[in-house]
Amino acid sequence: MNLPTRIAAAQRLPLLYARALPFPFLRGAPKLGFVSFSHQSRRLRVRFSIKMAQSLEICDVGVENKLGVVRPATEEYAEEAIEALKAGKVIAVPTDTLYGFACDACSLEAVNRIYEIKGRKLTSPLAICVGDVSDIKRFAVTDHLPHGLLDSLLPGPVTVILRRGESSILEKSLNPELDSVGVRVPDCNFIRAIARGSGSALALTSANLSGQPSSVCIKDFENLWQHCAFVYDGGLLPAGRAGSTIVDLTRVGKYKIVRPGSAQEETVAILERHSLVEEATVT
């Protein structure tokens, strides 16, 4: 597309933007990545922060907002996203790893809609996302974990699998065959703000067709925009396509890495500092 054509397109489409979004609202605050326990983890945080800053640019897109659904993932659009979730809609959002489809985890209709959009088997579980580490205990059992462990892992690119327990306020219809649930607190202020504002947990899964590559840019899943109430653009995400590290913490004193993801080494170091032992693999 030549320059005059681009300018004309931008005039017709106010939401066609081409530079970086405001960094503070996309990054986790007050911290990025993992809590510092050593000089090594402090260096990790600095490297991760610089990488985020260098990579938070809009995917070049030539992405034209033909459907009128694309919005920047900035604070001024958070309330709109919250209202869409409360209305049972599915939205697409950036996280600290991949783009994801999100909906109210307590809306059976919305959850089923995500499965339809992805072409995902109903037997494949969905994770949930909450706004703050302190919210996790509303949805899963945490009293068996060492003090400070969750605060050391989260917010960050980690999914923790925990038992639901009898006191969980999650709808029984979410992952009905399982007594555990994967929980995320991404290091991304936009999705955390809408999770807080929703008053519930968000069902969260990668924004792609089941079995296809994950999305690090909204252009990657452009063919699925039509199924979303809104698509929130946080630029090109820097973590690659590995997704979050998934760790099973359902057993007292044990951990099991279910998926290495983008932060396995750092995650294992934190788990072992809290005296957890890797669960033996049964062969």
Side-chain angles (χ1 to χ4, degrees):
M1 184 183 292
N2 59 35
L3 183 59
T5 306
R6 284 181 180 270
I7 293 172
Q11 290 171 339
R12 293 195 306 273
L13 300 164
L15 294 172
L16 180 63
Y17 37 88
R19 295 307 305 156
L21 297 174
F23 294 157
F25 199 71
L26 286 172
R27 292 200 302 265
K31 60 183 180 176
L32 275 166
F34 300 98
V35 169
S36 292
F37 281 86
S38 64
H39 294 297
Q40 180 181 4
S41 57
R42 280 195 292 271
R43 288 197 298 271
L44 171 66
R45 289 175 58 198
V46 171
R47 289 198 301 271
F48 184 69
S49 179
I50 292 171
K51 188 177 181 184
M52 286 286 286
Q54 290 173 339
S55 301
L56 283 171
E57 297 178 353
I58 298 303
C59 260
D60 173 37
V61 284
V63 169
E64 295 189 4
N65 189 13
K66 301 181 181 72
L67 301 175
V69 299
V70 177
R71 306 282 193 272
T74 54
E75 186 171 7
E76 63 186 307
Y77 290 97
E79 190 59 39
E80 172 190 73
I82 292 166
E83 292 306 313
L85 292 169
K86 289 181 176 179
K89 306 296 184 182
V90 173
I91 61 174
V93 290
T95 72
D96 53 355
T97 53
L98 305 168
Y99 277 86
F101 291 133
C103 73
D104 182 351
C106 293
S107 168
L108 178 59
E109 182 178 352
V111 168
N112 285 340
R113 182 68 178 140
I114 282 185
Y115 279 101
E116 291 172 6
I117 293 171
K118 286 180 62 73
R120 185 182 177 99
K121 295 178 180 178
L122 292 173
T123 52
S124 298
L126 297 180
I128 64 169
C129 167
V130 296
D132 296 285
V133 175
S134 59
D135 295 325
I136 296 176
K137 61 181 178 293
R138 299 172 57 206
F139 304 96
V141 177
T142 62
D143 5 0
H144 65 295
L145 298 175
H147 178 73
L149 174 62
L150 291 179
D151 288 304
S152 300
L153 292 170
L154 303 167
V158 179
T159 300
V160 294
I161 298 177
L162 299 165
R163 290 182 293 111
R164 291 195 195 199
E166 294 301 319
S167 61
S168 174
I169 65 172
L170 274 180
E171 287 290 323
K172 301 296 184 186
S173 56
L174 182 73
N175 308 336
E177 303 302 318
L178 298 175
D179 61 0
S180 60
V181 63
V183 185
R184 287 220 63 199
V185 185
D187 195 5
C188 173
N189 274 353
F190 184 73
I191 190 170
R192 292 179 66 191
I194 62 178
R196 291 187 195 107
S198 73
S200 179
L202 309 183
L204 182 66
T205 186
S206 56
N208 60 309
L209 289 174
S210 187
Q212 296 300 307
S214 301
S215 300
V216 295
C217 169
I218 64 169
K219 183 72 172 176
D220 289 345
F221 61 99
E222 186 177 8
N223 59 320
L224 301 176
W225 292 1
Q226 61 184 310
H227 303 297
C228 301
F230 298 107
V231 174
Y232 293 98
D233 190 353
L236 178 63
L237 304 181
R241 300 183 192 272
S244 64
T245 296
I246 303 177
V247 56
D248 187 333
L249 297 177
T250 56
R251 295 187 60 193
V252 177
K254 304 282 188 181
Y255 76 87
K256 180 179 181 181
I257 299 296
V258 177
R259 182 177 73 187
S262 59
Q264 179 179 8
E265 183 178 343
E266 298 87 350
T267 300
V268 169
I270 290 171
L271 294 168
E272 294 183 350
R273 275 200 292 270
H274 284 81
S275 302
L276 268 67
V277 177
E278 185 172 12
E279 187 176 335
T281 302
V282 178
T283 58

